[in-house]
Amino acid sequence: MSTQSEDGDSEDELRERISNFLRRNFPQIQMHGGSAAIQNLDREEGSVTIMLGGACSGCGISPMTIQAIKSRMTKEIPEINTVHAETGMGGNEGMAGGAGGGSGMSPSFPGESSSSDSDEGPEAPF
């Protein structure tokens, strides 16, 4: 068959197993408008890089999803020793929320005003 399959699995088969693992164990990613894609797979090193995109970028629970993927994948797929996973936002921005985009992405609280032009006070949340 394939000349790559010394261990009985080709890289393509391992990619398929990883994809199936993500679909089977983390259906909420797709159900909530997100996506999970294999960015890089190093079979010799036993490492995989997963990129979470779509609604996962900026989602408040994506850090927990990433942690769960890292923990469970290494247990269920013996060829994988290391899992790198990140959202499409890069750095720590994925934990800051989705909206904003300015350099000061700090949370706002009722009663606070980000611009000094308006002194109307905060908008009602309803």
Side-chain angles (χ1 to χ4, degrees), residues 6 8 19 55 60 66 68 72 86 96 103 123:
E6 297 169 357
S19 294
I66 288 171
R72 292 172 64 184
E86 54 194 51
S103 58
E123 274 190 47

Side-chain angles (χ1 to χ4, degrees), residues 36-74:
I38 300 169
Q39 250 351 72
N40 185 38
L41 175 62
D42 187 333
R43 186 177 168 79
E44 288 182 24
E45 191 178 284
S47 70
V48 64
T49 302
I50 306 292
M51 179 65 73
L52 299 179
C56 292
S57 298
C59 175
I61 64 165
S62 62
M64 288 182 279
T65 303
I66 288 171
Q67 206 47 45
I69 290 171
K70 288 179 176 184
S71 170
R72 292 172 64 184
M73 188 181 294
T74 55

Side-chain angles (χ1 to χ4, degrees), residues 13-31 35-36 65 68-69 71-80:
E13 288 170 318
L14 183 55
R15 281 182 179 273
E16 185 66 26
R17 287 176 47 216
I18 292 168
S19 294
N20 288 337
F21 165 84
L22 290 168
R23 269 193 302 276
R24 187 178 66 248
N25 292 292
F26 298 96
Q28 67 272 28
I29 292 173
Q30 240 181 338
M31 289 169 41
S35 62
T65 303
I69 290 171
S71 170
R72 292 172 64 184
M73 188 181 294
T74 55
K75 289 177 184 162
E76 291 189 34
I77 302 177
E79 295 89 342
I80 301 298

Side-chain angles (χ1 to χ4, degrees), residues 77-101:
I77 302 177
E79 295 89 342
I80 301 298
N81 303 317
T82 308
V83 179
H84 306 281
E86 54 194 51
T87 63
M89 297 196 58
N92 292 330
E93 294 176 36
M95 296 176 65

Side-chain angles (χ1 to χ4, degrees), residues 106-113 122:
S106 61
S108 60
F109 299 99
E112 287 186 355
S113 177

